[in-house]
Amino acid sequence: MRRSASPYLAAALGVLLFVDVLRVCLPSIITTFGQAAATPAELMGAFALLWFVLALAAPALFRTVGADRIALVAALTLVGSRALLPATGGGPAQLYLASVGLLAGLVWLAGLAANAPTAVPGLVVGLAAGTVLHTALGTYDLVWRGPEQYLLLVPVAVGFVAAQRTVGGPDPDGPARPWFLVGPALLLWGMLAGSPALAATGASYLAGALAGTDRVAVVPPGGALPLTVLVAAAVGLFLVTGLAAERHRPPRWLYPAALVLGTALFAAGWPLALPVAIPLAAAGLGGCLALASTPTAPAPAGTGGAGGSAATTGPNSTNTRRAYATLAGTLVFVVAAIGYYAAYDLGYPNGWLPLLVAVVVATLAIRAPAPAVPVEGVPVGPVPGIAAGPTRTPRRPWSRSVVVAGTSLAVVAGLLTASGAGAADPFDGNRVRLVAYNIRMGFGLDGRFDLPDLTRTIAGQRPDVVVLSEVDRAWLLNGGHDTLALLAARLDMGYHFAPAADPVWGDAVLTRLPVDSAGTVALPAVGAPTGAQALGVVLRVGDRELVVVSTHLQPPPDGGPVEQARTVARYAAELAAGRPLVLAGDLNTQPGEPAFQALLERGLTDALAADRPLPTSPADRPVEQIDHVLVSDGLAPSDITAVPGTASDHLAVALTLTLPLG
């Protein structure tokens, strides 16, 4: 292996593995350490931050032990933790093993920074490859699957370790700026530009708008084609701008402007803006990384290298500065990520956080030193110890092949992704089986993203309609899964999804029955940090109509969700207009409480009353009755059950509803 290529290959494969571990570690902090919001958000944030702060001790050891040795040990630890994660079975073992892998990945990045002048091309390729793989897997990552995952993990791990062993010695002239941008790039790529789940969600909102629904996402027509177009555009633009030679770049301000604009559209929370925000941010991020890593003229001895601040202690100081810059950038990642998602527990505006990170990246990119030779053949001024003369802008003869290959693979990955369209079934009877389930973003009590168990819990009831709460379609903190599309595909159902907290977190209705119309209404916040909505779907049951309303009430800090209950009951009654009505979901209130009574006062009936008490939370020792199904007069409930299982922290509620004849 050529030594000049080894940092790029090590960076690409290492980033691929590091992101894989992140997709386990971050949700484990929420589900296992945090116990699904039972632990204060501040404490969860401190736990996550701890591992990033611990990594800051590594550069101090580089001079005595050697950055190359420490980086190799960290690389082996990263590989080992990733390989062992599936065997933990979830729980604390998964949490702490993933945290060790996270720490190892951070130390490896710092060691790579101290030994390689730049790894931006490798970072770009690694992030793009991660998105292609994530897309091909339908966002259901290998780490949550069975033994077949090792067919890909083993060659990646071997290639990574082999490349890391051949990374060259210290390079005193490498700039620190691009290494600082590694952390912000991980955030913006994972949260926005490189998220196939976000692309799928954006495509589904467009499909909903074309179908005439108001802020309701539906399965896009044409299968996986809309997702394919968005992912291929994002990956292709990111590779083109991130790997392009300086002489092929447009004006320096264009990429920073594209990144900031794309992130601003995302931060605004407009569902229909997502298909525009994704490719804009991808092109801008790649261009900013390339601008920040543009080669410059060698600096005089003792200056600390191009792109860095002045220093007088020679190469080792430069290498340490690059390592610290890398770790400082990852601190930006964790603070911004935790800060963004903690807003849904603590209640403050959070859209400015990714936008601020984008502004930082854009500013550093546009302020990066101009290239030493912007046009081939122009001589460089004299540099001590180096003869002046014609110099060429470094070429990357492999970059065009990487762009073509990466974009092609993105197209294939998108086309392989199941759409979960679910054909509408003809229905001649008057009995409908319904399941209401708070799925906790797809994570079970053991902290694992257990899609098979979740599917079995629902499919075992043979439902015609499924009402879901806490549906996550792209949150980076939860691993970036499109839980809704994954479930819909496995249940062979179509879906209607409405946003609550933001465009990718909310409630859904899945069904194989024909859908006549759908809409959503926002519920009053009443001081609750997480938003709430009511999704109304009108189903065709033979020659009759059935109105289904899915909601997840959010109680304010000082009481029950009475005002939200009144609003959703009024909305449901107006939507039904005398037609049979079902209102279901996690209502965060128990029978007899004021919010529950407010629902009954609008003429609804407790469909589960005959089987009370029917506790549903927590799933392993249920004591609270907070998951409900309420119906209008004329709907007869039967075969009621709270389905045992730990695929979520709630139990699913299932029942059969008999519609009146005539």
Side-chain angles (χ1 to χ4, degrees), residues 87-104:
T88 62
Q94 173 182 288
L95 169 66
Y96 288 103
L97 183 61
S99 299
V100 169
L102 168 66
L103 178 59

PDB file of all heavy atoms in Angstrom, residues 87-104:
ATOM      1  N   ALA A  87     -23.185  -8.717  20.263  1.00  0.00           N
ATOM      2  CA  ALA A  87     -23.226  -9.820  21.226  1.00  0.00           C
ATOM      3  C   ALA A  87     -23.648  -9.380  22.621  1.00  0.00           C
ATOM      4  O   ALA A  87     -23.873 -10.225  23.492  1.00  0.00           O
ATOM      5  CB  ALA A  87     -21.853 -10.491  21.305  1.00  0.00           C
ATOM      6  N   THR A  88     -23.764  -8.079  22.860  1.00  0.00           N
ATOM      7  CA  THR A  88     -24.084  -7.604  24.205  1.00  0.00           C
ATOM      8  C   THR A  88     -25.527  -7.893  24.593  1.00  0.00           C
ATOM      9  O   THR A  88     -25.848  -8.005  25.771  1.00  0.00           O
ATOM     10  CB  THR A  88     -23.831  -6.099  24.329  1.00  0.00           C
ATOM     11  OG1 THR A  88     -24.698  -5.405  23.405  1.00  0.00           O
ATOM     12  CG2 THR A  88     -22.379  -5.763  24.029  1.00  0.00           C
ATOM     13  N   GLY A  89     -26.419  -7.948  23.597  1.00  0.00           N
ATOM     14  CA  GLY A  89     -27.827  -8.146  23.920  1.00  0.00           C
ATOM     15  C   GLY A  89     -28.482  -6.917  24.491  1.00  0.00           C
ATOM     16  O   GLY A  89     -29.563  -6.990  25.085  1.00  0.00           O
ATOM     17  N   GLY A  90     -27.840  -5.753  24.325  1.00  0.00           N
ATOM     18  CA  GLY A  90     -28.415  -4.512  24.820  1.00  0.00           C
ATOM     19  C   GLY A  90     -28.050  -4.245  26.267  1.00  0.00           C
ATOM     20  O   GLY A  90     -27.145  -4.854  26.836  1.00  0.00           O
ATOM     21  N   GLY A  91     -28.770  -3.318  26.883  1.00  0.00           N
ATOM     22  CA  GLY A  91     -28.571  -2.991  28.278  1.00  0.00           C
ATOM     23  C   GLY A  91     -27.276  -2.241  28.560  1.00  0.00           C
ATOM     24  O   GLY A  91     -26.641  -1.698  27.657  1.00  0.00           O
ATOM     25  N   PRO A  92     -26.845  -2.226  29.840  1.00  0.00           N
ATOM     26  CA  PRO A  92     -25.624  -1.501  30.212  1.00  0.00           C
ATOM     27  C   PRO A  92     -24.388  -1.968  29.451  1.00  0.00           C
ATOM     28  O   PRO A  92     -23.503  -1.162  29.161  1.00  0.00           O
ATOM     29  CB  PRO A  92     -25.500  -1.779  31.714  1.00  0.00           C
ATOM     30  CG  PRO A  92     -26.893  -2.067  32.163  1.00  0.00           C
ATOM     31  CD  PRO A  92     -27.547  -2.765  31.025  1.00  0.00           C
ATOM     32  N   ALA A  93     -24.304  -3.252  29.141  1.00  0.00           N
ATOM     33  CA  ALA A  93     -23.134  -3.743  28.398  1.00  0.00           C
ATOM     34  C   ALA A  93     -23.033  -3.049  27.046  1.00  0.00           C
ATOM     35  O   ALA A  93     -21.947  -2.659  26.609  1.00  0.00           O
ATOM     36  CB  ALA A  93     -23.222  -5.254  28.218  1.00  0.00           C
ATOM     37  N   GLN A  94     -24.165  -2.906  26.353  1.00  0.00           N
ATOM     38  CA  GLN A  94     -24.172  -2.208  25.071  1.00  0.00           C
ATOM     39  C   GLN A  94     -23.776  -0.745  25.242  1.00  0.00           C
ATOM     40  O   GLN A  94     -22.979  -0.203  24.474  1.00  0.00           O
ATOM     41  CB  GLN A  94     -25.564  -2.295  24.445  1.00  0.00           C
ATOM     42  CG  GLN A  94     -25.732  -1.465  23.176  1.00  0.00           C
ATOM     43  CD  GLN A  94     -27.141  -1.554  22.636  1.00  0.00           C
ATOM     44  OE1 GLN A  94     -27.546  -2.585  22.109  1.00  0.00           O
ATOM     45  NE2 GLN A  94     -27.916  -0.484  22.774  1.00  0.00           N
ATOM     46  N   LEU A  95     -24.323  -0.101  26.270  1.00  0.00           N
ATOM     47  CA  LEU A  95     -24.040   1.308  26.513  1.00  0.00           C
ATOM     48  C   LEU A  95     -22.553   1.551  26.728  1.00  0.00           C
ATOM     49  O   LEU A  95     -21.952   2.423  26.083  1.00  0.00           O
ATOM     50  CB  LEU A  95     -24.837   1.784  27.736  1.00  0.00           C
ATOM     51  CG  LEU A  95     -24.457   3.163  28.295  1.00  0.00           C
ATOM     52  CD1 LEU A  95     -24.791   4.264  27.298  1.00  0.00           C
ATOM     53  CD2 LEU A  95     -25.171   3.411  29.630  1.00  0.00           C
ATOM     54  N   TYR A  96     -21.943   0.778  27.613  1.00  0.00           N
ATOM     55  CA  TYR A  96     -20.549   1.052  27.960  1.00  0.00           C
ATOM     56  C   TYR A  96     -19.577   0.552  26.900  1.00  0.00           C
ATOM     57  O   TYR A  96     -18.532   1.170  26.683  1.00  0.00           O
ATOM     58  CB  TYR A  96     -20.229   0.477  29.340  1.00  0.00           C
ATOM     59  CG  TYR A  96     -20.881   1.288  30.435  1.00  0.00           C
ATOM     60  CD1 TYR A  96     -22.028   0.834  31.078  1.00  0.00           C
ATOM     61  CD2 TYR A  96     -20.379   2.537  30.789  1.00  0.00           C
ATOM     62  CE1 TYR A  96     -22.650   1.590  32.058  1.00  0.00           C
ATOM     63  CE2 TYR A  96     -20.994   3.302  31.771  1.00  0.00           C
ATOM     64  CZ  TYR A  96     -22.123   2.833  32.400  1.00  0.00           C
ATOM     65  OH  TYR A  96     -22.743   3.588  33.356  1.00  0.00           O
ATOM     66  N   LEU A  97     -19.906  -0.521  26.216  1.00  0.00           N
ATOM     67  CA  LEU A  97     -19.041  -0.964  25.125  1.00  0.00           C
ATOM     68  C   LEU A  97     -19.076   0.036  23.978  1.00  0.00           C
ATOM     69  O   LEU A  97     -18.039   0.360  23.390  1.00  0.00           O
ATOM     70  CB  LEU A  97     -19.468  -2.347  24.633  1.00  0.00           C
ATOM     71  CG  LEU A  97     -18.576  -2.957  23.537  1.00  0.00           C
ATOM     72  CD1 LEU A  97     -17.148  -3.138  24.036  1.00  0.00           C
ATOM     73  CD2 LEU A  97     -19.142  -4.313  23.084  1.00  0.00           C
ATOM     74  N   ALA A  98     -20.257   0.552  23.665  1.00  0.00           N
ATOM     75  CA  ALA A  98     -20.355   1.577  22.625  1.00  0.00           C
ATOM     76  C   ALA A  98     -19.636   2.852  23.048  1.00  0.00           C
ATOM     77  O   ALA A  98     -19.007   3.529  22.215  1.00  0.00           O
ATOM     78  CB  ALA A  98     -21.817   1.875  22.319  1.00  0.00           C
ATOM     79  N   SER A  99     -19.686   3.176  24.335  1.00  0.00           N
ATOM     80  CA  SER A  99     -18.989   4.367  24.823  1.00  0.00           C
ATOM     81  C   SER A  99     -17.477   4.199  24.727  1.00  0.00           C
ATOM     82  O   SER A  99     -16.764   5.149  24.378  1.00  0.00           O
ATOM     83  CB  SER A  99     -19.395   4.653  26.277  1.00  0.00           C
ATOM     84  OG  SER A  99     -20.784   4.898  26.379  1.00  0.00           O
ATOM     85  N   VAL A 100     -16.982   3.002  25.025  1.00  0.00           N
ATOM     86  CA  VAL A 100     -15.556   2.727  24.856  1.00  0.00           C
ATOM     87  C   VAL A 100     -15.170   2.843  23.381  1.00  0.00           C
ATOM     88  O   VAL A 100     -14.119   3.391  23.027  1.00  0.00           O
ATOM     89  CB  VAL A 100     -15.203   1.339  25.415  1.00  0.00           C
ATOM     90  CG1 VAL A 100     -13.789   0.918  25.009  1.00  0.00           C
ATOM     91  CG2 VAL A 100     -15.326   1.336  26.938  1.00  0.00           C
ATOM     92  N   GLY A 101     -16.019   2.312  22.504  1.00  0.00           N
ATOM     93  CA  GLY A 101     -15.759   2.443  21.073  1.00  0.00           C
ATOM     94  C   GLY A 101     -15.754   3.890  20.625  1.00  0.00           C
ATOM     95  O   GLY A 101     -14.932   4.299  19.795  1.00  0.00           O
ATOM     96  N   LEU A 102     -16.644   4.684  21.189  1.00  0.00           N
ATOM     97  CA  LEU A 102     -16.671   6.117  20.892  1.00  0.00           C
ATOM     98  C   LEU A 102     -15.369   6.780  21.312  1.00  0.00           C
ATOM     99  O   LEU A 102     -14.758   7.543  20.543  1.00  0.00           O
ATOM    100  CB  LEU A 102     -17.858   6.758  21.614  1.00  0.00           C
ATOM    101  CG  LEU A 102     -17.888   8.289  21.663  1.00  0.00           C
ATOM    102  CD1 LEU A 102     -18.062   8.877  20.274  1.00  0.00           C
ATOM    103  CD2 LEU A 102     -19.001   8.775  22.591  1.00  0.00           C
ATOM    104  N   LEU A 103     -14.930   6.499  22.536  1.00  0.00           N
ATOM    105  CA  LEU A 103     -13.683   7.080  23.027  1.00  0.00           C
ATOM    106  C   LEU A 103     -12.504   6.641  22.160  1.00  0.00           C
ATOM    107  O   LEU A 103     -11.633   7.455  21.806  1.00  0.00           O
ATOM    108  CB  LEU A 103     -13.459   6.667  24.482  1.00  0.00           C
ATOM    109  CG  LEU A 103     -12.165   7.140  25.147  1.00  0.00           C
ATOM    110  CD1 LEU A 103     -12.070   8.663  25.152  1.00  0.00           C
ATOM    111  CD2 LEU A 103     -12.070   6.590  26.564  1.00  0.00           C
ATOM    112  N   ALA A 104     -12.481   5.365  21.786  1.00  0.00           N
ATOM    113  CA  ALA A 104     -11.401   4.866  20.929  1.00  0.00           C
ATOM    114  C   ALA A 104     -11.407   5.565  19.579  1.00  0.00           C
ATOM    115  O   ALA A 104     -10.355   5.918  19.040  1.00  0.00           O
ATOM    116  CB  ALA A 104     -11.532   3.352  20.743  1.00  0.00           C
TER     117      ALA A 104
END
